[in-house]
Amino acid sequence: PINGDDPAAAPFVAPRLPAGSKLANCLHTGHLSATFSNVEVAVGTGGSRCTFRALHRLECVWYAFDVEVLARLSGEEDDISARPELRRVRHLGALADSRHVARYVTAWCEEPACLPEALQAQVAEACNQALAKEGGYCVALLVQTELCQGTDLDSWLDSRNIDTTGAAIGQNEALQAFTFAEHLAKACREIHRAGLVRCNFRPGSVSVVEAGKAPSLKVGSAGLAFAVAGGSEEAQEADRASDVFEAVVLIMKVLLRLSPQTSEARYDTVMAEQTFRKHGVVPQELEDALPAHAALLQRAAASPRTGQPPSLTATELFAELKRLRR
């Protein structure tokens, strides 16, 4: 059954695309419901975009999804390929082989009224608002990506009990901190190389994956929030500098929590982050324990705070972190 056929099941006012129209012939309506089950919407999503996860019926694998309403359609000879949402999808394809960013799988469009019931409230609201303002037709764009099967970085850091008395253990923890720092910088570099910005690095959107010999970091759901780099070159540089800054904030947090010399202090990392964002100053304990890393972090923080041209690109940040580890 199609949810949109029953007004009580879904509060849609969106008309269907005319049968036989150019865009209607390209839709894969019903694909999500037929191929996936157990749709679970992420808390806090809304507006024209909704994030959720679903279980593939045949593969028995969970995937992450982003569904976005495409409005302002005429229902005649619509060509959506030039729209920013589709440009973003094409750029996501360049991240297919990244080790530290969630893998893009595929994308397709459906009639909004035919989506699973779990998505109806959010999608209906977005469609109705767009149609009330601009009229026309709407379709739902679904972007499928890998769902990182790991522990979010914050929880993983909270679970670590740093032994500051054992030299060998302390050294292992420090090496892990340096490795994680490189993974974050590398993810930022790969995202920028794909022509995307707004990495949106947050502990909750970065996962620790325990596969293989050692844990590694992967940017997960934040991948769904990427935007295509656009505007003037100055605007693009500002976006990239902001991404580097957010990566550096997270790197500082990792170094503080995992380095034995600083974890012993157990001071408030939230306060340290606020001070760093406002003044570009790292905690004295980190500067004493890792002076070269502290100087690198402060250098990367300069341009977003002062509005100056970027002093450090993601590529340079990654190269510097590798050099410091050696």
Side-chain angles (χ1 to χ4, degrees):
I2 294 177
N3 295 331
D5 289 339
D6 180 3
F12 272 98
V13 298
R16 304 279 180 82
L17 283 169
S21 63
K22 179 179 178 180
L23 185 54
N25 291 333
C26 298
L27 299 182
H28 292 272
T29 297
H31 177 66
L32 180 64
S33 295
T35 311
F36 298 88
S37 64
N38 299 67
V39 174
E40 299 178 4
V41 178
V43 175
T45 61
S48 65
R49 181 180 293 177
C50 173
T51 301
F52 65 97
R53 72 173 191 166
L55 181 66
H56 196 287
R57 296 181 187 274
L58 296 181
E59 298 175 4
C60 295
V61 173
W62 288 91
Y63 288 94
F65 290 85
D66 187 23
V67 57
E68 188 162 8
V69 172
L70 305 184
R72 305 187 307 277
L73 301 174
S74 69
E76 297 175 359
E77 294 298 312
D78 294 295
D79 182 4
I80 62 173
S81 62
R83 292 183 62 137
E85 299 91 344
L86 273 296
R87 288 173 52 221
R88 182 172 67 94
V89 168
R90 290 193 290 273
H91 283 273
L92 284 172
L95 291 169
D97 298 324
S98 172
R99 289 184 56 198
H100 302 295
V101 183
R103 177 176 54 89
Y104 164 77
V105 180
T106 189
W108 70 93
C109 290
E110 297 196 23
E111 283 280 8
C114 304
L115 295 173
E117 185 176 353
L119 302 174
Q120 290 289 307
Q122 290 88 345
V123 176
E125 182 181 1
C127 284
N128 294 344
Q129 288 178 354
L131 292 171
K133 184 184 298 184
E134 301 168 1
Y137 298 87
C138 295
V139 297
L141 169 66
L142 293 108
V143 181
Q144 178 185 349
T145 64
E146 169 191 11
L147 180 67
C148 297
Q149 298 290 352
T151 307
D152 69 85
L153 180 58
D154 249 354
S155 299
W156 191 89
L157 289 171
D158 287 340
S159 71
R160 309 303 289 174
N161 294 315
I162 311 300
D163 186 342
T164 59
T165 60
I169 295 177
Q171 185 180 23
N172 289 338
E173 297 289 357
L175 288 175
Q176 187 65 74
F178 299 153
T179 300
F180 279 0
E182 290 178 23
H183 291 175
L184 288 167
K186 190 174 183 182
C188 190
R189 182 190 69 174
E190 291 171 349
I191 292 166
H192 287 176
R193 284 182 174 178
L196 296 163
V197 291
R198 302 180 194 170
C199 304
N200 199 21
F201 287 116
R202 298 190 312 273
S205 59
V206 177
S207 297
V208 179
V209 181
E210 300 275 1
K213 294 182 179 179
S216 64
L217 291 189
K218 179 167 283 194
V219 179
S221 59
L224 301 174
F226 297 152
V228 178
S232 65
E233 184 58 35
E234 291 77 12
Q236 293 183 42
E237 282 189 350
D239 279 336
R240 288 191 285 264
S242 178
D243 287 342
V244 171
F245 178 72
E246 292 301 326
V248 162
V249 170
L250 206 48
I251 287 170
M252 183 186 71
K253 187 170 186 176
V254 169
L255 292 174
L256 288 172
R257 298 282 290 278
L258 287 182
S259 296
Q261 300 95 323
T262 57
S263 62
E264 189 176 25
R266 297 187 182 279
Y267 52 79
D268 189 354
T269 55
V270 175
M271 184 62 70
E273 178 181 334
Q274 291 174 350
T275 301
F276 184 70
R277 287 184 179 278
K278 187 174 182 180
H279 304 290
V281 177
V282 302
Q284 188 62 48
E285 293 90 341
L286 184 60
E287 192 167 357
D288 292 341
L290 301 167
H293 284 80
L296 179 61
L297 298 185
Q298 291 177 152
R299 176 184 165 196
S303 57
R305 289 177 47 257
T306 61
Q308 298 299 313
S311 56
L312 203 65
T313 66
T315 298
E316 292 167 341
L317 176 63
F318 177 62
E320 285 294 307
L321 287 168
K322 286 194 72 173
R323 182 184 65 81
L324 291 177
R325 188 154 70 102
R326 289 196 293 267

